[in-house]
Amino acid sequence: MDLPRLFHRIVLLALSILIVSAALVPASAQSGARQKAPWMNAALSPDERAALVLKEMTIDEKVSMLHGTGLKGLGPVSPLAVGSNGGAGYVVGIPRLGIPAIQMSDAAYGVRQSGENGRYSTALPADLAAAASWDLDAAYEYGALIGRELRAQGYNMSLGGGVNLTREPRDGRTFEYLGEDPILAGRMVGSLIRGTQAQHVIGDIKHYAVNDQESGRNAVNANIDKRSMRESDLLAFEIGVREGNPAAVMCAYNRVNGDYACENKYLLTDVLKKDWNFKGFVVSDWEATHSTVKASAAGLDQEEPGEIFFGGAMKDAVQSGRVPIAEVDDHVRRILRSMFACGVIDDPPLKSVVDVVGGFEVARNIAEHSIVLLRNEQAQLPLDASRIHSIAVIGPHSDVGMISGAGSAQVDPPGGNAIMPPGKGQTKWGKPVWFPTSPLKAIRAKAPGAKVQFDPGTDHSSAAALAKTADVAIVFAYQWEIEGADLDNLSLPEHQDELIAAVAAANPHTIVVLETGSPVTMPWASQVNGILEAWYAGTQGAEAVANVIFGEVNPSAKLPITFPRSEADLPHRTVVHPPRESTTNGEPDDWKKIAAGLPAFQTTYDEQLKVGYKWYDAEKKDVLFPFGYGLSYSTYSYSNLRVITGGTPGGKVRLNFTVTNTSNRTGVEIAEVYAALPAVAAEPPKRLVGWSKIKLNPAESKEVAVEVDPQYLSIFDVDRNAWQLVPGDYMFLVGGSSQSLPLKESVSLK
Ligand code: BGC
């Protein structure tokens, strides 16, 4: 080792000993110091408190807050990382000022633990599943559970909150997002973040923005016009930021209109910080920072996971005048004020035991609100356990588990992957993880008097032979997704389409339960009696599915995403894949190439405003199951629409209408409100503008009121950089799905 490097090592080691020993100062002494400091006065605002701390900070302390300490496998790891709790990100604290470290963990559908500390977390249904509940309270509970479990594991920052709109359903992270509508997704993520931050944990919303494919995500340049971006992809973030007030926004890997998202001034400063008045900090996705001066000026506040650009290089840039100290102060102020605002300084997390039973309850409850009944011919469902003698449960691993979504969202299952041999419990990146929630056992428990037999479906003729002997055949089919790769297509893998067709041919009472993170095509749809979309249903998925199958739960969820008839109907023939030189192919020095910036390749969202159902509507393409669709064991009727435009607070449009339960079963209906804008607005045929979830007893009618924010009726005027309500006639449509809208009324708006 040469002398300067040796010297550098010694300095780093000394520094880490200093910081670690400072961190080990007895809590009483630290809290004494904290109590005396003027910024510990909780009566002051987060901004005042941050300003007081900032005044005391040295340049080294400031820079230390602008980056993480590295992560194994992703660039160099600093000796300071020794203080990390084992999560994806760790930013050192400043003990002399009473500022704690930031301990970040991935937490998309539960707290990720990749085996480091082996602690338990609850796996909720995937985010997309939660979106199918259209339930803001459930989203809050979802976020709150994550916040509680983060704290219990010693974390004070969540890396969840994915809200990229699904422009491309083959995107390998579709399960981590909230569907294809900006208002539904934005409102749901806002509620989720509020739930998390109420637990005194820093919340985050990601991946900002237009990170709509995983293929070549570090290189791809997403081309999209500003109006489309503001009215779709960015609107989801805008609503999420407004309603959830997240302390952090994570910028994405990809380029947007030429610039990397993490050094994109339009996205980070012009839109996020100025137009939306975002007060928190922008954290880069892991290795998504590509510069010091440009990124800092564009509005990036913190580099993760290491310090390639925002560590020593930032200090040098300040000292040589390339980055003004005022810019660094703004970054630090944003981080500090967020820490005060979220309560992580006044109320730091204390490790404790996770409430496992409580977590089961929340996970099952959300799954029951998320499972979408797509088809129910001859009222096949619910099954009456007292009248069924035999059931065939068929499909890969449906004897032991249900599949989950993978990547940084992956939550470790209790006791390990259900399909691994005992003793090999740990999850591995790239290997599907099945949660130990057994459909076979759950069905047996519901139908103790029936003969319930299992076939894995590997041999289609043996599966069909079993199906033939049973009163009912239930096939569990899956499609697996992982971050970093897109789906090749929307077909079920492993010949499951053929399996289902073979079973359906053998048994006219076939029910298919889908465990998918994206829509799938269903060439067999008309041959089966029942279809349930269970998504990635989480740790209590099988129990929730069984409760729906046997009618203890009356399904109420609606699709947050369109299921097309065929892939040929999607806006793009395939996901654009990178040419070879734009990829890094997993070589050990990847991080250097990624940091330096890989050659761009292009994807162009020329469908523009026509995202999801707006595309199929505008292009007049028939779909398999439309956005907003979902059956129930009850039936509902709609009547008596009135649209009130004057005298409402905030210029909102109010709709009143009646929903009636026309069945003899108590149920919950999600009533949806769409608007068709005046023709001069040049918009897709209609957009979702509101909804209401209503519980109705048999034959009960309820008057429903939905208020529509004027922004939801507006278009984005790029020249004026403002939302504009186009004067003219607006048609309001109300009903139970985007394609079943029995009530209509047109009003003129100025
Ligand atoms: C993902 C982020 C995640 C981060 C930390 C990245 O690869 O894109 O969503 O939060 O890793 O694990």
Side-chain angles (χ1 to χ4, degrees):
M1 192 182 288
D2 55 29
L3 271 179
R5 278 180 74 183
L6 184 64
F7 179 69
H8 183 71
R9 281 270 166 98
I10 293 171
V11 170
L12 271 179
L13 196 69
L15 209 72
S16 59
I17 292 170
L18 261 175
I19 293 205
V20 171
S21 47
L24 295 177
V25 171
S28 56
Q30 270 196 41
S31 72
R34 277 201 261 123
Q35 270 154 22
K36 270 186 236 132
W39 51 85
M40 289 315 294
N41 176 2
L44 299 176
S45 72
D47 290 302
E48 289 167 326
R49 298 174 75 179
L52 288 169
V53 182
L54 193 62
K55 274 204 288 202
E56 303 295 321
M57 292 173 80
T58 66
I59 177 77
D60 288 308
E61 287 169 339
K62 289 176 183 175
V63 170
S64 75
M65 293 199 80
L66 304 187
H67 60 81
T69 55
L71 193 65
K72 226 167 96 200
L74 289 183
V77 178
S78 151
L80 301 180
V82 68
S84 164
N85 193 34
Y90 172 63
V91 178
V92 296
I94 305 169
R96 81 171 181 96
L97 301 176
I99 303 302
I102 305 180
Q103 301 277 7
M104 310 175 182
S105 175
D106 277 301
Y109 62 87
V111 181
R112 169 175 170 76
Q113 277 302 337
S114 38
E116 271 92 354
N117 68 14
R119 289 170 71 95
Y120 171 89
S121 1
T122 302
L124 292 158
D127 304 74
L128 184 64
S133 74
W134 298 51
D135 189 326
L136 298 176
D137 296 335
Y140 184 94
E141 285 308 319
Y142 194 104
L145 178 128
I146 287 175
R148 288 196 297 276
E149 295 197 359
L150 281 164
R151 279 176 68 85
Q153 304 192 27
Y155 294 103
N156 57 10
M157 177 162 170
S158 151
L159 301 172
V163 72
N164 294 86
L165 271 209
T166 301
R167 280 186 177 267
E168 171 50 75
R170 288 163 295 203
D171 179 339
R173 298 186 89 169
T174 304
F175 73 97
E176 280 188 64
Y177 302 139
L178 298 160
E180 66 190 24
D181 182 82
I183 296 175
L184 177 62
R187 298 216 62 198
M188 291 295 283
V189 83
S191 221
L192 187 152
I193 297 288
R194 283 196 302 109
T196 299
Q197 293 195 159
Q199 315 310 313
H200 295 166
V201 165
I202 297 172
D204 153 76
I205 180 169
K206 70 188 185 183
H207 308 88
Y208 187 67
V210 206
N211 183 179
D212 297 342
Q213 68 170 66
E214 289 295 285
S215 307
R217 64 182 182 177
N218 299 100
V220 67
N221 179 36
N223 295 289
I224 181 167
D225 66 281
K226 278 189 183 160
R227 173 172 167 190
S228 301
M229 187 159 44
R230 293 298 294 260
E231 290 186 28
S232 55
D233 307 59
L234 297 199
L235 179 57
F237 281 93
E238 179 174 358
I239 296 170
V241 165
R242 185 167 64 222
E243 299 197 358
N245 200 11
V249 168
M250 186 190 292
C251 51
Y253 282 123
N254 49 292
R255 296 165 163 105
V256 180
N257 293 333
D259 286 327
Y260 276 112
C262 289
E263 54 186 41
N264 193 308
K265 180 175 165 293
Y266 175 74
L267 287 178
L268 305 185
T269 297
D270 301 349
V271 176
L272 177 65
K273 292 184 177 175
K274 290 198 177 140
D275 289 357
W276 301 346
N277 199 21
F278 171 66
K279 296 265 185 275
F281 63 102
V282 177
V283 54
S284 78
D285 200 342
W286 270 229
E287 311 261 76
T289 309
H290 299 279
S291 59
T292 305
V293 176
K294 183 176 177 183
S296 172
L300 177 65
D301 298 302
Q302 190 179 71
E303 174 187 4
E304 286 295 338
E307 51 175 311
I308 297 164
F309 298 103
F310 275 40
M314 180 65 89
K315 186 176 172 188
D316 289 351
V318 171
Q319 285 172 341
S320 63
R322 284 172 300 128
V323 169
I325 186 70
E327 208 170 273
V328 165
D329 285 353
D330 184 54
H331 301 320
V332 177
R333 186 183 303 114
R334 285 172 173 276
I335 298 167
L336 285 170
R337 69 93 57 200
S338 303
M339 295 176 80
F340 282 114
C342 290
V344 306
I345 296 177
D346 297 335
D347 182 21
L350 272 182
K351 283 195 181 175
S352 61
V353 176
V354 164
D355 174 9
V356 179
V357 176
F360 274 8
E361 183 67 24
V362 176
R364 204 204 59 244
N365 189 38
I366 291 175
E368 289 170 353
H369 284 88
S370 305
I371 295 168
V372 189
L373 177 62
L374 294 174
R375 185 173 165 89
N376 195 13
E377 288 304 293
Q378 298 164 29
Q380 177 71 64
L381 290 167
L383 299 182
D384 180 348
S386 67
R387 289 169 55 185
I388 287 200
H389 304 292
S390 54
I391 302 175
V393 174
I394 294 167
H397 312 301
S398 54
D399 53 337
V400 290
M402 291 184 83
I403 203 157
S404 57
S408 59
Q410 183 75 63
V411 176
D412 279 356
N417 192 340
I419 68 162
M420 277 186 167
K424 286 198 181 170
Q426 271 193 17
T427 60
K428 289 201 182 65
W429 189 281
K431 294 266 179 281
V433 171
W434 296 73
F435 281 106
T437 173
S438 156
L440 179 65
K441 279 193 195 149
I443 288 167
R444 282 196 173 136
K446 293 282 169 207
K451 187 170 173 195
V452 183
Q453 286 176 287
F454 168 71
D455 186 289
T458 337
D459 176 344
H460 298 177
S461 44
S462 102
L466 176 66
K468 213 179 182 98
T469 65
D471 291 345
V472 177
I474 309 178
V475 186
F476 286 80
Y478 80 95
Q479 164 222 51
W480 180 62
E481 281 179 4
I482 180 167
E483 166 186 345
D486 295 313
L487 296 168
D488 291 336
N489 53 56
L490 294 183
S491 300
L492 290 171
E494 282 199 65
H495 307 289
Q496 294 175 94
D497 283 336
E498 291 95 312
L499 168 66
I500 296 168
V503 172
N507 188 319
H509 305 286
T510 295
I511 296 156
V512 177
V513 180
L514 295 166
E515 302 166 43
T516 77
S518 277
V520 285
T521 49
M522 305 180 205
W524 37 262
S526 63
Q527 295 151 38
V528 300
N529 263 2
I531 306 175
L532 284 173
E533 174 56 85
W535 316 104
Y536 300 149
T539 190
Q540 290 287 288
E543 290 69 20
V545 166
N547 284 341
V548 171
I549 287 181
F550 290 93
E552 272 166 47
V553 168
N554 187 357
S556 60
K558 304 260 174 113
L559 293 178
I561 197 164
T562 307
F563 278 50
R565 280 208 177 277
S566 126
E567 257 180 83
D569 294 334
L570 295 176
H572 302 277
R573 204 169 52 80
T574 56
V575 175
V576 186
H577 282 271
R580 228 188 121 63
E581 68 275 15
S582 295
T583 64
T584 56
N585 300 315
E587 297 135 27
D589 270 345
D590 274 3
W591 66 270
K592 284 190 186 156
K593 290 194 197 168
I594 291 172
L598 296 162
F601 70 102
Q602 310 296 323
T603 188
T604 301
Y605 294 114
D606 50 10
E607 73 279 11
Q608 301 187 304
L609 292 167
K610 295 180 278 183
V611 185
Y613 62 94
K614 295 169 186 164
W615 165 260
Y616 301 98
D617 276 1
E619 301 293 316
K620 301 197 166 44
K621 286 181 193 286
D622 186 29
V623 300
L624 185 59
F625 298 113
F627 175 83
Y629 170 85
L631 301 170
S632 156
Y633 300 147
S634 307
T635 46
Y636 307 96
S637 74
Y638 287 75
S639 58
N640 204 17
L641 172 64
R642 279 147 299 143
V643 182
I644 299 137
T645 55
T648 49
K652 289 187 175 165
V653 173
R654 181 183 302 142
L655 289 93
N656 288 322
F657 53 92
T658 306
V659 183
T660 303
N661 183 345
T662 49
S663 72
N664 55 11
R665 199 180 251 273
T666 298
V668 174
E669 168 70 335
I670 299 168
E672 302 164 33
V673 178
Y674 294 80
L677 272 58
V680 286
E683 286 284 313
K686 64 174 182 287
R687 52 165 82 159
L688 178 77
V689 293
W691 71 91
S692 177
K693 233 180 139 162
I694 319 125
K695 186 171 181 192
L696 291 162
N697 293 324
E700 188 185 8
S701 288
K702 268 189 191 155
E703 170 96 342
V704 180
V706 173
E707 292 200 331
V708 181
D709 192 307
Q711 186 195 24
Y712 299 170
L713 299 169
S714 301
I715 66 168
F716 193 78
D717 180 338
V718 174
D719 296 333
R720 288 177 43 241
N721 193 50
W723 289 91
Q724 190 209 342
L725 190 90
V726 180
D729 289 340
Y730 286 71
M731 175 72 83
F732 287 91
L733 305 118
V734 179
S737 104
S738 66
Q739 289 194 9
S740 165
L741 298 164
L743 305 183
K744 278 191 188 58
E745 188 176 323
S746 170
V747 294
S748 161
L749 296 178
K750 303 221 171 51

